[in-house]
Amino acid sequence: MALGIFKKKGATVGKDPTVSPVYGGMADKQTKYEALVHALHGDIYRYAYWLCRDPQVAEDLVQETFLRAWKGIDSLFDDKAAKTWLITILRRENARRFERKQFDLIDLDEHPQSDPDALHNEQEMENEWLRRHIARLPAEYQEPLLLQVLGGFSGDEIAAQLGLNKNTVMTRLFRARNQIKEAMESTTQQRGHTNG
């Protein structure tokens, strides 16, 4: 009988903590976050790797991206915009990396790759050639091309993400592809002259 005076009707003493509204909100946030990571981790990693070309740095960028996503997940109201939102966070994280550090730049053409196993078949050589030529594109052409090729974004989505109009994006994509095509044709002609 004495214990009864400390309990009020409907009090939470002894209740299951998973029923509390605070925990319920966290569970919803956790579920949303886990679904986001599960669905988009691969795409975000691929884009990070293309930006930095280093698996460890790419993992760090992805980890920082998803950490910031966790902190701001409540601001993501449209699940269809999740990929664009994460790519934006990733691009900002990559920019922060350069703000913190100053790198010595070298010309890759003057320093051949030291790892002989890195390019062991024709497809890998072609991929490396393509990476180098994409990296040589001006940033205004490179970024939309990577968003389209790696991110799978449409012209409208790229325009929204970069704060440009769609016609500008489409022009930049066209010019980027033309520059790659011209480089490919030039390489083919050079090979033809050296073989002939």
Side-chain angles (χ1 to χ4, degrees):
M1 190 69 160
L3 290 177
I5 58 172
F6 292 108
K7 273 190 166 181
K8 292 185 178 177
K9 188 175 181 182
T12 59
V13 177
K15 273 192 168 181
D16 183 1
T18 61
V19 179
S20 90
V22 173
Y23 182 83
M26 287 296 289
D28 291 343
K29 182 178 179 178
Q30 182 72 23
T31 302
K32 185 176 181 179
Y33 176 76
E34 287 174 3
L36 188 74
V37 171
H38 179 73
L40 298 173
H41 184 274
D43 291 340
I44 299 303
Y45 176 81
R46 272 190 299 282
Y47 189 72
Y49 183 78
W50 266 85
L51 287 175
C52 66
R53 291 175 188 78
D54 182 320
Q56 286 80 25
V57 173
E59 279 295 330
D60 289 346
L61 284 170
V62 170
Q63 187 173 11
E64 285 298 317
T65 298
F66 281 111
L67 176 63
R68 288 194 184 270
W70 168 256
K71 292 176 181 176
I73 198 150
D74 294 331
S75 68
L76 179 64
F77 299 112
D78 183 6
D79 292 342
K80 292 177 185 172
K83 190 173 183 180
T84 302
W85 181 63
L86 288 171
I87 291 284
T88 301
I89 294 171
L90 175 66
R91 287 174 51 236
R92 289 179 182 154
E93 282 305 309
N94 189 50
R96 280 187 193 96
R97 182 171 66 101
F98 289 104
E99 289 171 0
R100 292 183 289 239
K101 235 178 180 179
Q102 293 297 320
F103 295 97
D104 294 330
L105 301 177
I106 60 168
D107 186 2
L108 293 176
D109 291 334
E110 293 176 11
H111 295 81
Q113 210 165 4
S114 61
D115 183 7
D117 295 329
L119 300 175
H120 61 332
N121 69 35
E122 191 172 325
Q123 182 63 47
E124 288 183 17
M125 288 173 49
E126 289 175 5
N127 289 346
E128 183 60 28
W129 181 93
L130 186 59
R131 277 189 203 99
R132 284 185 181 178
H133 281 78
I134 290 173
R136 289 181 186 150
L137 290 173
E140 65 186 21
Y141 297 150
Q142 184 184 52
E143 197 164 26
L145 184 63
L146 289 176
L147 287 170
Q148 185 183 54
V149 173
L150 294 176
F153 292 106
S154 70
D156 289 326
E157 292 169 327
I158 295 169
Q161 198 165 357
L162 298 179
L164 302 169
N165 80 34
K166 184 180 176 184
N167 291 337
T168 303
V169 168
M170 299 312 285
T171 299
R172 289 180 182 184
L173 287 169
F174 176 78
R175 289 179 180 166
R177 290 179 189 281
N178 270 351
Q179 287 185 22
I180 297 293
K181 181 182 173 188
E182 288 171 7
M184 190 178 293
E185 289 170 355
S186 174
T187 301
T188 303
Q189 287 176 351
Q190 289 174 357
R191 285 182 184 164
H193 290 306
T194 58
N195 291 341

